[in-house]
């Protein structure tokens, strides 16, 4: 006797409102933070003797932000994990908005340094807090894309705001530009407060099906990871991979911010001292390509699981473009290489920040990401200052950019060799699909 198979119901697709609610609100928030961090790169070439800043001083203005940036990384990550990412970020948003406005009111070089330090202090806790938030909303198989889509705010901020800053400089003083650009975070804090929830169970707009799916997926991800300790500093530092990631991030970010801060100044030279509006518009072009590179590289990383390659290969391209840009003649060729460099140094963001969540359980990942971001971002001080100091010392940016290329090369070596998967002891990714190795 035969029996007909009972037809199985076709599963309904899981709703995905999280992509249209969480990511855009977080992206706009951090786009405003990145504006307040990087608008100084457009302003510095046009300060025309205000505060009597040398190239080394300008590098210090850009870099001292990252000294302040260190202090709240781990405290904010722990607050986000154990208290509330939503509340942590809104408090920091209000504080950094006020600090950004303060930067436009300074009357001396020392005050400018202090204002930039304070701005970095309050902005420093935002990045790890949002990464903790995203870890509560996106399973590992979506994590690189979620991180990258959120982090598209970095090049997007420069695409939109570099031309705006340039235009504003043509119509107002640099002081007014800084004051006015400090206001939007105060306004967006209201949107953040009402639109963002710490986890799916707390959100009014999410369906029960999507919330259940996320809870099951994230619980399965956590169960597959090695056991962690109490979430202390020591538990994070004991992981060899965390130490390697700190090194990778430091050397990468040294090259990244050394290039980004001085990009408008290089473009100003290529335009033979063009107007601030022209320089702002041209500065947006490399970041538009960076936006496309970030998104494409993150999607490839999620599809293949090749996290190490998704970090290392773009940086190798960036090294080549950075060095060639100093060797070729002609404004068009140098501009093209600036575009390639920008795309290359931005592309690793999504895959890189997917790695800690794959290696570590939720109890310790907050401290680990805080450590990586805090210590790694000291490269944001080293890069801009090195380029400025070497430019003053040699009369050319060639030496400075060659040093940045060397820093990127160390990052490539560390991510390629230092994160090579190893058997047991908890440093490798637990399964091939989510792995670093393939």
């Amino acid at each position: 006797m035969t029996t007909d198979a009972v037809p199985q119901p076709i599963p309904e697709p899981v709703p995905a409102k999280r992509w249209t609610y969480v990511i855009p609100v977080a992206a706009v928030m951090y786009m405003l933070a990145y504006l307040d961090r990087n608008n100084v790169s457009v302003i510095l070439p046009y300060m025309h003797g205000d505060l009597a800043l040398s190239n080394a001083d300008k590098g210090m203005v850009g870099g001292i932000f990252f000294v302040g940036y260190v202090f709240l990384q781990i405290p904010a990550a722990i607050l986000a994990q154990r208290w509330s990412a939503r509340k942590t970020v809104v408090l920091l948003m209000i504080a950094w908005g006020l600090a950004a406005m303060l930067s436009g009111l300074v009357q001396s070089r020392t005050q400018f340094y202090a204002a930039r330090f304070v701005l970095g202090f309050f902005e420093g806790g935002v990045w790890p807090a949002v990464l903790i938030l995203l870890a509560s909303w996106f399973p590992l198989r979506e994590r690189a894309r979620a991180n990258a889509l959120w982090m598209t705010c970095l090049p997007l901020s420069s695409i939109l705001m570099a031309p705006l800053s340039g235009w504003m400089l043509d119509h107002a003083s640099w002081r007014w530009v800084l004051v006015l650009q400090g206001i939007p975070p105060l306004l967006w804090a209201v949107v953040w407060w009402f639109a963002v929830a710490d986890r799916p169970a707390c959100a009014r707009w999410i369906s029960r099906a999507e919330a259940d799916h996320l809870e099951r997926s994230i619980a399965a991800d956590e169960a597959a990871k090695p056991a962690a300790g109490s979430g202390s500093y020591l538990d994070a530092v004991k992981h060899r991979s965390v130490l390697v990631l700190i090194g990778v991030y430091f050397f990468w970010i040294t090259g990244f911010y050394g290039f980004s801060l001085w990009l408008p100044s290089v473009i100003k030279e290529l335009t033979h001292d063009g107007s601030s509006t022209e320089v702002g518009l041209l500065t947006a072009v490399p970041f538009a390509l960076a936006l496309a590179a970030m998104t494409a590289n993150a999607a490839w990383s999620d599809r293949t699981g090749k996290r190490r390659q998704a970090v290392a290969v773009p940086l190798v391209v960036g090294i080549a473009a950075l060095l060639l840009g100093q060797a070729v003649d002609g404004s068009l060729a140098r501009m093209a290489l600036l575009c390639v460099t920008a795309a290359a140094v931005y592309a690793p963001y999504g895959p890189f920040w997917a790695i800690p969540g794959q290696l570590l359980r939720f109890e310790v990942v907050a401290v680990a990401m805080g450590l990586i971001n805090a210590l790694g971002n000291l490269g944001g001080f080293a890069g801009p200052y090195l380029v400025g100091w070497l430019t003053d010392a040699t009369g050319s940016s060639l030496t400075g950019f060659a040093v940045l290329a060397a820093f990127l090369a160390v990052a490539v070596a560390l991510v390629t060799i230092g994160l090579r998967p190893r058997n047991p002891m908890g440093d490798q990714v637990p399964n091939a699909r989510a792995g670093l190795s393939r």
Side-chain angles (χ1 to χ4, degrees):
M1 183 176 69
T2 62
T3 50
D4 294 330
V6 178
Q8 297 297 314
I10 300 173
E12 296 183 5
V14 177
K17 282 189 175 181
R18 61 193 179 279
W19 294 96
T20 54
Y21 276 74
V22 179
I23 296 293
V25 176
V28 171
M29 179 275 298
Y30 208 76
M31 183 174 71
L32 298 175
Y34 204 69
L35 163 67
D36 288 330
R37 177 186 313 181
N38 271 17
N39 53 10
V40 72
S41 68
V42 178
I43 289 168
L44 285 174
Y46 295 94
M47 291 181 68
H48 301 306
D50 277 334
L51 309 185
L53 299 178
S54 67
N55 284 320
D57 293 332
K58 292 176 182 178
M60 179 67 77
V61 167
I64 200 169
F65 171 95
F66 293 97
V67 178
Y69 197 80
V70 169
F71 291 93
L72 288 186
Q73 292 285 317
I74 293 171
I78 294 173
L79 273 178
Q81 179 199 15
R82 300 181 181 177
W83 179 47
S84 165
R86 169 175 167 260
K87 294 174 183 176
T88 300
V89 171
V90 81
L91 291 175
L92 292 172
M93 225 187 301
I94 293 169
W96 106 57
L98 295 174
M101 296 173 70
L102 179 66
S103 298
L105 304 178
V106 298
Q107 299 299 317
S108 70
R109 181 176 53 187
T110 302
Q111 289 177 6
F112 204 9
Y113 291 163
R116 293 284 298 172
F117 175 90
V118 171
L119 178 63
F121 180 84
F122 288 120
E123 277 193 21
V126 177
W127 183 272
V130 175
L131 286 172
I132 295 298
L133 181 77
L134 296 182
S136 300
W137 280 95
F138 296 92
L140 278 177
R141 66 177 179 274
E142 300 173 342
R143 193 73 52 78
R145 278 171 292 160
N147 289 347
L149 284 174
W150 166 50
M151 294 173 196
T152 56
C153 62
L154 305 184
L156 189 59
S157 178
S158 297
I159 292 167
L160 298 176
M161 300 307 180
L164 175 63
S165 295
W167 176 83
M168 291 176 72
L169 282 170
D170 278 340
H171 296 84
S173 72
W174 64 268
R175 296 180 183 279
W176 272 110
V177 173
L178 292 176
V179 170
L180 292 174
Q181 291 183 353
I183 295 174
L186 304 179
L187 302 177
W188 197 252
V190 179
V191 177
W192 174 273
W193 181 256
F194 288 104
V196 171
D198 281 307
R199 57 189 62 85
C202 301
R204 299 190 188 97
W205 45 264
I206 196 172
S207 68
R208 189 68 257 166
E210 185 173 5
D212 289 344
H213 163 74
L214 292 175
E215 289 171 6
R216 289 193 303 270
S217 298
I218 292 171
D221 288 341
E222 292 299 304
K225 299 175 189 176
S230 61
S232 68
Y233 292 84
L234 183 60
D235 289 322
V237 172
K238 282 191 300 186
H239 286 268
R240 173 181 173 275
S241 299
V242 173
L243 299 177
V244 175
L245 287 168
I246 290 170
V248 172
Y249 202 52
F250 173 82
F251 286 100
W252 166 29
I253 290 300
T254 299
F256 176 92
Y257 278 113
F259 168 79
S260 299
L261 180 81
W262 290 100
L263 177 61
S265 297
V266 174
I267 290 176
K268 185 172 182 283
E269 292 178 10
L270 294 181
T271 61
H272 306 291
D273 292 327
S275 71
S276 55
T277 299
E278 180 185 3
V279 171
L281 287 169
L282 287 174
T283 299
V285 175
F287 295 113
L289 295 178
L291 177 63
M294 280 182 66
T295 306
N297 192 44
W300 179 82
S301 173
D302 271 349
R303 187 173 66 253
T304 64
K306 295 181 178 180
R307 305 297 196 203
R308 289 186 306 137
Q309 293 90 328
V311 175
V313 173
L315 293 184
V316 171
V317 174
I319 292 166
L322 198 59
L323 294 175
L324 281 173
Q326 302 304 306
V328 303
D329 292 322
S331 297
L332 186 60
R334 292 189 67 189
M335 184 67 188
L337 288 166
L338 289 175
C339 291
V340 173
T341 305
V345 297
Y346 271 90
Y349 260 109
F352 178 86
W353 283 108
I355 293 172
Q358 292 175 200
L359 297 174
L360 305 167
R361 293 180 65 87
F362 192 76
E363 305 94 274
V364 74
V365 75
V367 175
M369 287 194 294
L371 278 171
I372 294 165
N373 204 39
L375 300 180
N377 262 297
L378 288 175
F381 171 79
Y385 184 73
L386 274 173
V387 174
W389 180 77
L390 288 169
T391 300
D392 278 343
T394 64
S396 168
S397 61
L398 173 61
T399 308
F401 281 102
V403 170
L404 297 184
F407 274 80
L408 293 176
V410 176
V412 171
L414 285 173
V415 79
T416 304
I417 299 170
L419 288 182
R420 184 176 294 160
R422 303 185 299 128
N423 279 331
M425 311 318 294
D427 271 349
Q428 79 284 4
V429 178
N431 60 68
R433 183 167 187 316
L436 300 172
S437 60
R438 293 184 298 165

